[in-house]
Amino acid sequence: MTDVEAARADLEWGAFTDDGPWTVPERPRWRVVVRRRRRAIHERLPDLVQPPTLPPVGRLLRVLRHLVPALGLWAIGARRRGGTESRQDLARRLRLAAEALGPTYIKLGQIIASGEGLFPAELVAEMRRCRDQVPPEPFAVVRRVLTEELGRPLEEVFSHIDRRPLAAASIAQVHLASLHPTEPGGEPVEVVVKVQRPGIAALVESDLRVMAWIAPHLVGRIPVAALANPPALVELFGETIAEELDFCLEGDNMLAVAATYAEMGRDAYVVPRPHPELVTRRMLVMQRLTGFGFEDVEGMR
């Protein structure tokens, strides 16, 4: 690391410890490996999104079992009706297929849902329904993952953790929790704990290989695929989801964004602070903030 990079790294960490809820005596250990992990992800990505000669057969058959009926029934209906109605029907069938295929495809639907102007309006509107469709993992599973990441019982770190998740998404779910007071007689520190779903990394890798194999066969086949450029979509999706599987990278991004706002004097913007000693690949403990959903206009008013 150069002197400039080291100074930048210190700024990124120190920029938001002045009034923060945690004392940070030194640069946290998990940030030291972030640069190496990010490079390793990008070096491996071309192999994951390169169309394989033969993808994982079991997963491919499951994908085709859901996609072929959806696209086939739409194609029959499109010849009869055509127009906007048929595009809406296709979007609905693709959304149902994504939900049936699980977290990786739901995540793809969520990315499409934020792509207004890039994807057909009917598809964007339908995929918005994927944002809260993933059932949460049982708390026993959450406890096991957290115990493995902490290397000690939950009770040694948290004074309380809600068994019911605040929200559940495709890769992870979040729980409200409180850390033990830092000083005798002090108040517990309210936090949010993000926990990765077990086995999600292997499932994502399998799904990426299936997507990479299917994508070239969809070019020019259906209107949505032709507009979205399936191989390019798979490559972009692979890069996005691969980084999201390592919460150390997410914590590092949070610090970098906070540092940028601090440099610009944008004090009105608040970025949740990751706990300096409670960030791992599958666990992210961060400052608890309250607010409104992006589309909750009435709540904001």
Side-chain angles (χ1 to χ4, degrees):
M1 179 181 289
T2 67
D3 292 340
V4 173
E5 289 172 334
R8 170 66 178 172
D10 291 338
L11 173 62
E12 288 175 357
W13 184 247
F16 45 120
T17 59
D18 295 339
D19 332 290
W22 303 297
T23 301
V24 186
E26 58 185 20
R27 183 174 167 83
R29 292 185 299 272
W30 56 271
R31 291 204 78 194
V32 176
V33 301
V34 164
R35 189 183 301 272
R36 184 173 70 249
R37 288 189 181 183
R38 199 185 301 273
R39 183 170 60 248
I41 287 172
H42 285 269
E43 288 176 350
R44 188 159 182 261
L45 186 62
D47 176 60
L48 289 178
V49 298
Q50 179 70 25
T53 304
L54 186 65
V57 177
R59 190 59 177 163
L60 174 63
L61 292 177
R62 184 160 187 258
V63 171
L64 293 177
R65 187 168 74 245
H66 289 282
L67 283 183
V68 170
L71 297 175
L73 291 173
W74 167 80
I76 295 172
R79 283 197 295 268
R80 295 174 181 172
R81 298 187 301 271
T84 302
E85 182 183 354
S86 65
R87 291 197 299 271
Q88 291 174 341
D89 184 51
L90 172 60
R92 183 182 66 84
R93 293 182 184 281
L94 289 176
R95 191 259 303 171
L96 292 174
E99 291 175 2
L101 288 169
T104 310
Y105 289 85
I106 291 175
K107 182 66 180 180
L108 180 59
Q110 292 169 349
I111 292 175
I112 292 173
S114 63
E116 269 188 279
L118 298 176
F119 302 99
E122 296 86 357
L123 185 61
V124 171
E126 190 67 34
M127 288 301 177
R128 283 177 182 156
R129 301 180 62 180
C130 285
R131 289 176 176 169
D132 301 305
Q133 296 290 334
V134 187
E137 299 287 348
F139 187 73
V141 174
V142 172
R143 173 181 287 275
R144 185 178 74 246
V145 172
L146 289 177
T147 301
E148 291 172 357
E149 295 303 296
L150 291 168
R152 48 186 161 158
L154 268 63
E155 291 73 18
E156 292 186 14
V157 177
F158 303 102
S159 60
H160 170 75
I161 181 168
D162 284 0
R163 298 178 65 88
R164 180 174 297 181
L166 178 65
S170 53
I171 291 175
Q173 60 194 58
V174 295
H175 292 254
L176 297 178
S178 300
L179 299 174
H180 289 297
T182 55
E183 298 178 358
E187 293 293 324
V189 179
E190 294 186 343
V191 295
V192 171
V193 184
K194 184 173 182 179
V195 188
Q196 189 171 125
R197 294 176 180 272
I200 187 65
L203 178 62
V204 165
E205 179 173 331
S206 176
D207 281 336
L208 279 177
R209 295 189 184 280
V210 170
M211 290 178 180
W213 186 84
I214 292 176
H217 299 284
L218 295 180
V219 175
R221 300 283 183 177
I222 57 175
V224 172
L227 288 171
N229 187 353
L233 176 61
V234 170
E235 185 174 345
L236 176 62
F237 176 65
E239 181 176 353
T240 300
I241 200 169
E243 288 209 359
E244 289 188 13
L245 289 170
D246 190 331
F247 292 169
C248 290
L249 273 61
E250 181 173 346
D252 185 67
N253 290 339
M254 294 162 72
L255 299 186
V257 171
T260 299
Y261 281 139
E263 290 175 350
M264 297 171 62
R266 303 288 187 176
D267 298 333
Y269 294 92
V270 180
V271 179
R273 307 171 188 195
H275 192 284
E277 299 302 330
L278 295 176
V279 180
T280 69
R281 185 178 62 82
R282 298 191 299 164
M283 176 191 72
L284 176 58
V285 178
M286 68 191 91
Q287 178 184 13
R288 186 189 303 185
L289 299 177
T290 58
F292 300 94
F294 183 75
E295 296 177 347
D296 184 9
V297 178
E298 289 304 315
M300 294 179 192
R301 288 174 179 165

